[in-house]
Amino acid sequence: MKLYKVSDMKRGWFIGDFEPNVIRTKGFEVGYLHHRAGEKWPSHYHKIATEINLLISGSMTICGKLINAGEIFVIEPMEVADPIFHDDCYLMTVKVPSLPGDKYETI
């Protein structure tokens, strides 16, 4: 058995084509992400990747929709993600494929 700590990973990302990782793959990325209430996160989009998110706890608004714990939302390529974190939020995120450079901030 191998044992890892999410705190040793970059911003909670632990599977994908980057370092550090638990498993390296170009097929997808997996992250356990934490965002604090009121945290400023830049609006951004991905040209190629699709991002599937499960909001584990908290509430947030993204793409003009209120998301609550237990809801799954999918951000498609070229769709602008503009998150507002109303509470401390924990998310499980899968991005397909793993393309670490495929993130573009909007102006």
Side-chain angles (χ1 to χ4, degrees):
M1 179 179 96
K2 295 179 182 177
L3 181 62
Y4 302 87
K5 293 183 180 182
V6 73
S7 60
D8 292 336
M9 302 295 142
K10 186 175 179 183
R11 292 187 7 253
W13 292 97
F14 60 96
I15 296 175
D17 192 21
F18 45 75
E19 291 287 339
N21 63 59
V22 173
I23 296 172
R24 187 169 203 131
T25 179
K26 294 177 184 286
F28 59 95
E29 298 176 3
V30 179
Y32 179 64
L33 312 176
H34 175 232
H35 297 282
R36 298 193 183 283
E39 178 181 336
K40 301 297 182 204
W41 193 252
S43 296
H44 67 280
Y45 63 95
H46 305 284
K47 290 182 180 179
I48 298 169
T50 298
E51 192 173 278
I52 302 103
N53 300 272
L54 166 60
L55 184 58
I56 295 168
S57 66
S59 67
M60 61 185 289
T61 298
I62 192 163
C63 299
K65 295 185 180 181
L66 177 64
I67 309 295
N68 293 296
E71 295 183 318
I72 299 166
F73 60 98
V74 178
I75 307 294
E76 302 287 347
M78 303 305 293
E79 185 173 13
V80 175
D82 55 353
I84 300 169
F85 303 103
H86 306 297
D87 306 300
D88 280 5
C89 293
Y90 285 89
L91 296 105
M92 183 61 65
T93 301
V94 176
K95 194 162 49 169
V96 180
S98 179
L99 294 169
D102 184 37
K103 181 176 179 180
Y104 305 88
E105 291 186 13
T106 61
I107 297 173

